[in-house]
Amino acid sequence: MLSDALLTPLQLTLCLLIYGAATLWALARVSWVELIADSRRQHLFYGSAFALAVLWLVRREFDSGLTMHFIGVTAVTLILDWPLALVAGALAQLALVLLGQDDVAALGANGVLRLLVPVLITVAIARALESRQPRNLFLYIFISGFFAAGLSAVGTVLGGMGLLHWSGQLQAPDSLVELFGYLLLVMFPEAFINGTVIAALIVFHPDWVETFNTDRYLQAPLDDDKS
């Protein structure tokens, strides 16, 4: 997360426009009738928004205005699918702004970094996997869960570095090896948290994961054995 002092007015405005447009598009794509009619889905939606807000409160703030925290958006995207995940993330961001934990001026920039980037990466990886119609559920857990979450963390860090470089606030690492070490530090914990959540839900409540194809991953192998 970045404070508004680290970015230029142009960056803040452009990020807000991008994030606002994406949020409006997500609102238009949500099946509100289905959400209102399904109490289980409502619980998952509000629970995800609350979980993101709490997770984002566990943070390490630096004097420079940079804040590090876990993202958790990959798991939420797989559970709710991307439109509802963006809306849940927007509610979590709004809660942090109201609590005084986030800068309202940097709402768009932080929304791009910790919501849009992880959602885009997660959706791209999940759809690439689904295009191959795999039947091994471990592929879903490790690729759509662990790998997508780790890559989302890397994408968020690199995106933040890009914004800071643009604003002239970036203090670059001394070498590529040092940069790679930083990326590993954020990649593995993020992958572990999201992947573990998805693995647990697949085992105990696969119907809670919207993007998980229960018929193919769980029932198809049994049907093949019977035949």
Side-chain angles (χ1 to χ4, degrees), residues 60-78:
R60 172 67 171 90
E61 298 182 0
F62 298 92
D63 295 336
S64 61
L66 175 68
T67 299
M68 300 290 290
H69 60 68
F70 295 113
I71 305 172
V73 173
T74 292
V76 173
T77 302
L78 296 177

Side-chain angles (χ1 to χ4, degrees), residues 39-141:
S39 60
R40 176 188 60 85
R41 192 154 174 78
Q42 292 176 28
H43 294 156
L44 289 173
F45 171 66
Y46 291 118
S48 296
F50 177 77
L52 285 178
V54 173
L55 183 64
W56 293 346
L57 284 173
V58 182
R59 56 178 61 187
R60 172 67 171 90
E61 298 182 0
F62 298 92
D63 295 336
S64 61
L66 175 68
T67 299
M68 300 290 290
H69 60 68
F70 295 113
I71 305 172
V73 173
T74 292
V76 173
T77 302
L78 296 177
I79 293 170
L80 300 177
D81 208 356
W82 73 265
L84 212 54
L86 281 179
V87 178
L91 290 179
Q93 281 213 134
L94 181 60
L96 294 187
V97 169
L98 294 176
L99 291 173
Q101 299 298 315
D102 282 9
D103 293 336
V104 64
L107 182 67
N110 290 322
V112 169
L113 291 177
R114 65 184 174 196
L115 282 175
L116 292 190
V117 171
V119 166
L120 286 173
I121 292 176
T122 300
V123 170
I125 293 176
R127 289 183 177 178
L129 176 65
E130 288 303 300
S131 68
R132 304 182 68 86
Q133 298 290 305
R135 295 190 175 189
N136 190 330
L137 65 88
F138 290 103
L139 289 177
Y140 179 88
I141 293 173

Side-chain angles (χ1 to χ4, degrees), residues 167-206:
S167 66
Q169 299 287 340
L170 178 64
Q171 182 177 353
D174 295 333
S175 65
L176 291 178
V177 174
E178 185 177 354
L179 174 61
F180 183 69
Y182 289 151
L183 295 179
L184 288 179
L185 285 176
V186 299
M187 181 178 182
F188 283 103
E190 186 69 28
F192 177 79
I193 290 175
N194 289 266
T196 301
V197 169
I198 293 302
L201 290 179
I202 293 303
V203 171
F204 296 105
H205 295 285

Side-chain angles (χ1 to χ4, degrees), residues 22-32 81-84 87 127:
T23 303
L24 291 176
W25 178 244
L27 288 170
R29 293 296 301 272
V30 171
S31 178
W32 295 106
D81 208 356
W82 73 265
L84 212 54
V87 178
R127 289 183 177 178

